[in-house]
Structures are given as C-alpha cells and as structure tokens.
Amino acid sequence: MRIEKMYINGEWVEAASGNTRTIINPFNQETIAQVPEGDETDTVSAIQAAREAFDEGEWRNIPASTRGKLVLKIAELIERDVQELAELETLDSGKTLTESIDDMNDIAEVFRYYGGLADKDGGEVIASPIPDSRSKVVREPVGVCGQITPWNYPLLQASWKIAPALAAGNTMIIKPSEITPLTTIKVTELIEEAGVPKGVVNLVLGSGAKTGQLLAESHEVDLISFTGGIETGRKIMTAASSNFKKVALELGGKNPNIVFEDADFDTALDQALNAVFFHAGQVCSAGARLLVHDAIHDRFVEELVKRTKQIKLGSGFDDTTQSGPLISNDHLKKVENYVAIGIKEGASLMTGGKRPEAEELQAGFFFEPTIFTECDSSMRIVQEETFGPILTIERFDTEEQAVTLANDTIYGLAGAVWTTNIRKAERVAGELRMGTVWINDFHPYFAQAPWGGYKSSGIGRELGKQGLEEYTEVKHIYENTNPSPLHWF
Ligand code: NAD
C-alpha cells in the first residue's frame, strides 16, 4: 500500500488535522493507498504559498523561454515514467492499461505543446490614433490559479490545466478528485524534480466541500479552473463571484452521434460502440445519444446489440479486457437508477441494464453495456448525463430533424456526424451548437486544438492556444512620446 503526502510550498506534508483517506481499486475494492485528507487549513496554507510565489515576482518575471524549458522538462519526465504513471492510473480508476498508456502519452504531448508555446507570444503593437504615442498589448499571467479536477481522466484533466498555467507564469493549487489522486501526486513529484520553484505548484488533497469550495471562494485566488459535473460547476461559479475571479468551467455533455443512411455502415457501427462504451461511458464527450436514419435504423440496432453483448468486462491489467469497472459504488447505483428511469419512461431495453453475473466481477463496480431504443427528447435518459455505459437510440428521417434532435439538450460539448456526403456533413457540423464536431470519426482530441463546451457544457476553452490564453490577462500599455501640459484646468 502506498502512503502519500500533499505538496505545499515545496514541502511534502500530512494534513494539518492528521486525517487520512483510503483509496481503493474499483476493480476489487482493495486498499491501494492512504492519502492525507486536507481541509480548509491546508487549503489556506497552499493559497498563501501560491500567493507569495506569485507576488514575489521571480517566477512570473523569468524569461518565457526559461519557463517553457521547464515545462518541456516535465514532458520528458512524464515520458520517462509513462509505464509507472499508467499502472497507477489503471489501479486508481479501473480503466484499461492501454487507455492509461495512451492518456500518459497524450499528457506528455500537452506539456510539450505548452512548453513550446510559452515564448511564442511577443505581444502586439497597436496603430494608435493619437500622434506622438506608442501603444502595445501584452499578455501577463493571471496570478494564483485554483485547479479542480474530476476522477474520470484524473491526470489528463490536470495536465490541461497545469501545463498552460505554468507556461504562462502563474502559480497554482491543484485539487484532484478525492477518489483518484494518485497520478496527480506522482506528477507533482516530477514537477519538483524538473526544478519548478517552491510555491509555484501546490497540491491539496481532500473533499470538494472542504478544499475546492475554498479555492473558488478565496479572495487570494485570481482564477478558478474546474472540470466536473454541472451542479458542482454552478456552486463554483457562484463562489467565484466573491472577488469576480476568472472562471473556466469544463462541464458535462450529452453528445449526439448522428448516422445518416449513406454512412459507411460498418465503420459508423464500430465507432458508435467506441463512442459510448469507451472507459465504461465515463467520458464527458461520450457519444451517449445515437441518432440513426430511419432507413438503416433496424439493421444498425440489431448489429449494435449483437456487438455490445460481446464486450468483455474485466481487470484493466488484463490484455483481453475491453472495459473496466465504474469508479465507485455510489456511481454504480446512479447508473443503475438511470436504467430504472429509462424503463419507466417507456424506452425499450435491448441489452444490459444490470450488473454482470460473472463470479470474477463481483468485487468490482461493474455494469453491463446497455442499449435503449425507442427513445425521444422528452426522456431523462436522453437529456441527462448518465456518465455510464448507457446508449439511447433515437430515429430521424430528415437532416433538419437530426439537427433539431442533436441540439435538443442543455449541453453543447461535442457531437459527430457520419455520412459520405461531405457537403451534408459540413452543413450539419455548422448547425450543431457544440464546441467540437467530428465528421466521420468520434473522440479525437489533441493538444493543438481547443476543447470546451457551448451552452451548459461550460465556459472557456482548454488545449490549443486558447487554453494558454485562459491563463493570461490582457494589458494595454500606452506611452505618450511627447508629453506636454494640457492647460484644461
Ligand atoms: P464532480 O463535480 O463531482 O467533482 C469534480 C471535482 O470537484 C472533484 O475534485 C470534487 O472534489 C470537486 N468538488 C466537489 N464539490 C465541490 C465544491 N462545492 N467546490 C469545489 N470543488 C468541488 O465531478 P466528477 O463526478 O468527479 O466528474 C464527472 C463529471 O466531470 C462529469 O459530469 C463529466 O462530464 C465532467 N467532465 C467534463 C470534462 C470536460 O472536458 N468537459 C472532462 C472530464 C469530466
């Protein structure tokens, strides 16, 4: 079992209260670590450390190229430790080792991208309309950043925040999900090893109510970046109004996957499975709403159900496993409850809908991949994020109908369209009110392109150059090159 600590002002520390939390493996509920359970006292210490490190000025004033090199060094260290990090992620989250290795490689790329971007913005000279003047616009770090992450992509989500915040010259307090802190702890060790000065990166562990809430409320914090559920996002936005800090929110999604009758049937089918059942559906961009054209609906559903029944559940460390467990018993109950809701609402349960019976899966939080047909927009299972392996299928006839159904939720994170008619694909992509639209694909994201939601899926963007801009303030500097009295008064 691992015994872990938090990282505040360059020191590895226990919680001030001495409290700890047990971290378990969702595959078998075995204890894998004891971590400090921080609270308000620890959060205040971390905020103070980040405040001093920012205000004292050394970090934010070092050349951007030097900061960039440090961020690149972190990328190298992550690459060195990919296997160890990936194993830790699988142990903590239940996802397959292949997925974890992919995550870790993506994370190294995120640090590499922002390391490279750190010194690329030299500001902008403005054509001033006033004679004898110079005008320029520069970007500066925002200051102290609170960064709160969820359990489904523990380190990936943290990397989208830490890398740009460091590259831009901010200081920060990271608060990972209390359920899955292990890889964020490990990467904090790598950040220390890379030589990031004390106080610049601080790690606080504990519940959202006792640590995250304070980060959102504190007057000493200048920006709060949050990834998680919509209700928590609402609390954070309310708390952030205390000092009108900058707010970046990456919230949920209920993402439509639209399959037209002229799509490449086999590819669309294969990817529809991946869209929704990847990581047991615990993905903000999961393709949980499948919209299928009438002409192919019945055949598509039949094949989909057949393939879904063959999905192999198991340990993330077993090479033959296609999907691991859900994250916790509470989450399992929530997903189970959505199946009951779907049945009550009149949807047809085609497969799954229950915990698996296999003996070897009984200790884990497993749930069978589930498909509902005959769904419509009035149903809660179509409107709400179940965040589990549940697919709802709706049918459509016209392009216009598909777009209307696709846009008909409060969310706007991502969506996909499958058709061999590229003009139709681009028309539909243009009509979808979502931050990301995939044409004849599902799920790709990368460091170079922005990620974020329309509507209630959030505010702001991560990744891409927009992800770096979130961590900057814009300053206009005006210089009178020939000052003289005005004689107005
Ligand atoms: P959650 O909202 O329950 O928790 C997320 C984080 O917020 C955790 O660290 C938690 O401790 C903290 N928190 C809880 N209450 C808080 C409070 N009052 N103040 C401050 N912090 C608080 O979400 P979760 O269950 O961990 O994650 C699942 C959710 O995350 C899903 O809705 C999913 O869609 C979303 N998500 C979105 C994206 C995206 O890019 N848009 C990516 C991953 C996950």
Side-chain angles (χ1 to χ4, degrees), residues 148-153 157 160 175-178 206-209 211-214 216 226-230 232-233 235-236 250-253 283-284 385 387 413 451 457 462:
I148 304 174
T149 54
W151 48 258
N152 64 331
Y153 281 87
Q157 296 302 329
W160 294 9
K175 206 304 275 176
S177 166
E178 54 274 41
S207 75
T211 58
Q213 180 75 22
L214 190 54
F226 167 78
T227 303
I230 203 162
T232 317
K235 283 186 200 160
I236 285 178
E250 294 287 346
L251 307 176
V283 182
C284 55
E385 190 185 44
F387 222 54
L413 187 59
W451 179 260
S457 286
E462 294 193 302

Side-chain angles (χ1 to χ4, degrees), residues 52 56 71 110 146 156 204 276 292 302 349 361 363 369 374 380 404 425 433 449 485:
E52 276 164 28
E56 174 268 322
V71 178
V110 169
L156 189 79
V204 170
V276 63
V292 189
E302 192 185 326
L349 179 64
L361 302 180
E374 310 308 325
R380 281 182 63 192
T404 305
R433 302 272 302 144

Side-chain angles (χ1 to χ4, degrees), residues 254 338 341-342 345 347 372 375 379-384 392:
K254 189 75 184 182
Y338 269 115
I341 290 170
E345 287 176 321
F372 279 112
C375 299
M379 296 176 175
R380 281 182 63 192
I381 52 162
V382 171
Q383 292 294 331
E384 297 174 18
T392 64

Side-chain angles (χ1 to χ4, degrees), residues 122-138 475-481:
E124 193 185 349
V125 176
I126 301 291
S128 169
I130 304 172
D132 297 327
S133 74
R134 284 196 203 111
S135 186
K136 66 178 176 180
V137 172
V138 294
K475 182 181 278 178
H476 174 214
I477 301 175
Y478 171 84
E479 180 189 356
N480 186 337
T481 56

Side-chain angles (χ1 to χ4, degrees), residues 31 45 107 123 128 141 192 216 233 307 325 334 340 367 369 375 385 407 413 420 423 442 445 450 464-465 473 488:
T31 297
S45 304
I107 289 163
S128 169
E192 183 184 41
R307 293 267 302 266
K334 182 184 145 185
F367 199 75
C375 299
E385 190 185 44
N407 281 331
L413 187 59
T420 44
R423 264 201 251 150
F442 208 103
Y445 70 91
K465 59 181 187 321
E473 287 280 13
W488 281 352

